[in-house]
């Protein structure tokens, strides 16, 4: 029955996601149409020898000279056929551009989110265990500093300290240029390049998850079932792990799902700082090149990733708390 209810929830969530995706497509399309300039202007500026005839031919080739509603109709028609269009800037299918970088962005986001959750929950548990004492105060101050520090500044300081000064980690890229390593050696090389972007992207969320875990654990510790567990003579660590922390994770995972979209936004800056070839950097390059077809494809895909993340969070809640039923 649980599997059936989970399947029903998946189907219902997918149906509810349809109007959300449609809204994202329409809003993004008309907002991008309102921005002055197009890819033909950028291509002409880069070539230095473009004429009005060549620019008109470029716009005609990519459909940029069509009325807005005609362009929308053509774009929606392509989406129905799972075609994201062709990039005027790169003259390549948008799907090829996006999926060539999607793996790097997913790797960075999962790494940052996993590190932020692990560190934030651990620090929050320590803060809740020593509430009002010096460990709580020191960690609360550290969380406040992380919360107030911009991700790009944290990344730049990490590059200066850990890469330039100490030489422990590479300053950017996804792997060593010219490296022919494979297997485990290649994975370790990617992990070394991933460390600094993960640190820069996760810092802000470590502070959020730590403070939220602390507050949730303190609230749960006042519940009747926790007092009952203590009255039965359970060890304090067992009460904290089995009863308090497990129930305190529900709001933490909820906020993690809600901040998945914010992670995507933060990846734009972090990927640019560390030359990480992901969707965030591709989005920045698309804005600079007025390549709105690629940017629109990234926005549509990002909305699908956020919807998927929130769906997984709903299913995770049912695993964390048996009282929550998937319906």
């Amino acid at each position: 029955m649980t599997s059936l209810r989970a399947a029903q929830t998946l189907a219902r969530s997918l149906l509810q996601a349809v109007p959300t995706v449609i809204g994202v497509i329409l809003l993004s399309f008309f907002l991008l149409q309102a921005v002055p300039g197009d890819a033909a202007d950028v291509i002409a500026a880069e070539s230095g020898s473009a004429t009005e005839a060549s620019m008109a031919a470029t716009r005609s080739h990519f459909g940029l000279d069509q009325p807005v509603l005609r362009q929308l109709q053509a774009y929606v028609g392509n989406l129905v056929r799972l075609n994201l269009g062709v990039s005027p800037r790169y003259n390549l299918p948008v799907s090829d551009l996006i999926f060539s970088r999607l793996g790097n962005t997913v790797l960075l986001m999962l790494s940052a989110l996993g590190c932020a959750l692990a560190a934030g929950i651990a620090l929050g548990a320590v803060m809740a265990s020593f509430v009002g004492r010096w460990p709580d105060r020191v960690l609360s101050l550290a969380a406040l500093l992380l919360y107030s520090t911009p991700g790009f500044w944290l990344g730049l300081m990490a590059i200066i300290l850990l890469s330039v000064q100490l030489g422990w980690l590479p300053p950017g890229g996804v792997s060593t240029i010219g490296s022919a390593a494979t297997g485990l050696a290649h994975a370790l090389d990617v992990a070394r390049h991933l460390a600094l972007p993960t640190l820069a992207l996760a810092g802000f969320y470590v502070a959020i998850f730590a403070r939220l875990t602390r507050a949730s654990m303190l609230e749960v510790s006042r519940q009747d079932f926790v007092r009952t567990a203590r009255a039965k003579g359970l060890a304090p660590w067992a009460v904290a792990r089995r009863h308090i922390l497990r129930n305190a994770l529900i709001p933490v995972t909820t906020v993690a799902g809600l901040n998945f979209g914010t992670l995507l936004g933060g990846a734009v800056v972090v990927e640019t700082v560390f030359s990480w070839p992901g969707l965030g950097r591709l989005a920045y390059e698309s804005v600079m090149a007025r390549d709105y077809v690629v940017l629109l494809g990234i926005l549509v895909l990002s909305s699908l990733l956020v919807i998927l993340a929130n769906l997984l969070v709903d299913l995770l809640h049912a695993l964390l708390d048996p009282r929550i039923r998937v319906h």
Side-chain angles (χ1 to χ4, degrees):
M1 293 297 293
T2 302
S3 300
L4 178 60
R5 286 195 295 266
Q8 292 174 346
T9 299
L10 287 172
R12 186 179 299 111
S13 299
L14 290 176
L15 290 176
Q16 293 173 350
V18 172
T20 302
V21 174
I22 293 176
V24 169
I25 294 173
L26 294 178
L27 182 61
S28 302
F29 183 86
F30 286 112
L31 285 177
L32 292 178
Q33 287 291 329
V35 178
D38 56 19
D41 295 328
V42 177
I43 294 174
E46 291 179 347
S47 66
S49 60
T51 62
E52 293 185 3
S54 62
M55 292 179 63
T58 301
R59 291 191 173 95
S60 176
H61 177 71
F62 292 104
L64 301 176
D65 58 342
Q66 298 293 323
V68 174
L69 293 181
R70 182 70 60 82
Q71 293 185 45
L72 176 61
Q73 181 182 0
Y75 186 79
V76 173
N78 288 332
L79 282 181
V80 172
R81 296 189 296 270
L82 300 180
N83 180 9
L84 296 177
V86 178
S87 165
R89 179 66 177 82
Y90 300 96
N91 199 24
L92 291 172
V94 174
S95 57
D96 292 348
L97 290 171
I98 290 179
F99 287 110
S100 66
R101 304 200 185 193
L102 177 61
N104 292 331
T105 293
V106 171
L107 177 63
L108 175 59
M109 292 181 62
L110 291 180
S111 176
L113 185 60
C115 291
L117 282 171
I121 291 172
L123 293 177
V126 173
M127 292 161 64
S129 301
F130 295 92
V131 60
R133 287 180 278 180
W134 70 265
D136 179 32
R137 295 176 181 176
V138 171
L139 293 178
S140 295
L141 179 60
L144 180 61
L145 291 176
L146 280 177
Y147 184 83
S148 306
T149 303
F152 72 89
W153 186 88
L154 184 63
L156 292 174
M157 294 302 102
I159 290 175
I160 293 174
L161 177 61
L162 300 178
S163 181
V164 177
Q165 297 293 333
L166 300 177
W168 291 352
L169 296 170
V174 70
S175 62
T176 302
I177 299 176
S179 174
T182 59
L184 180 60
H186 176 69
L188 293 176
D189 185 37
V190 173
R192 292 182 68 249
H193 286 78
L194 183 63
L196 289 183
T198 298
L199 175 64
L201 189 57
F204 175 78
Y205 300 97
V206 169
I208 292 180
F209 297 149
R211 296 292 299 177
L212 185 58
T213 301
R214 176 186 183 275
S216 299
M217 290 187 65
L218 292 179
E219 181 179 357
V220 173
S221 65
R222 303 187 187 100
Q223 301 297 320
D224 293 337
F225 69 90
V226 175
R227 287 195 290 266
T228 301
R230 289 170 176 165
K232 289 181 178 180
L234 292 178
W237 65 269
V239 175
R241 182 175 62 87
R242 298 177 185 175
H243 299 280
I244 298 178
L245 181 58
R246 180 171 180 175
N247 288 277
L249 288 180
I250 295 176
V252 176
T253 54
T254 300
V255 173
L258 293 175
N259 280 279
F260 194 80
T262 311
L263 269 173
L264 277 171
V268 175
V269 177
V270 172
E271 289 180 2
T272 302
V273 170
F274 291 96
S275 300
W276 185 265
L279 289 183
R281 189 178 175 192
L282 180 61
Y284 172 76
E285 294 171 353
S286 300
V287 171
M288 299 303 295
R290 304 294 193 273
D291 196 345
Y292 299 135
V293 179
V294 175
L295 186 58
L296 189 57
I298 294 174
L299 293 174
V300 172
L301 181 61
S302 300
S303 65
L304 294 177
L305 291 177
V306 172
I307 291 171
L308 177 61
N310 284 276
L311 175 60
L312 293 177
V313 168
D314 290 339
L315 296 177
L316 180 61
H317 286 172
L319 296 176
L320 290 174
D321 191 346
R323 296 171 299 178
I324 298 177
R325 292 291 178 262
V326 183
H327 54 78

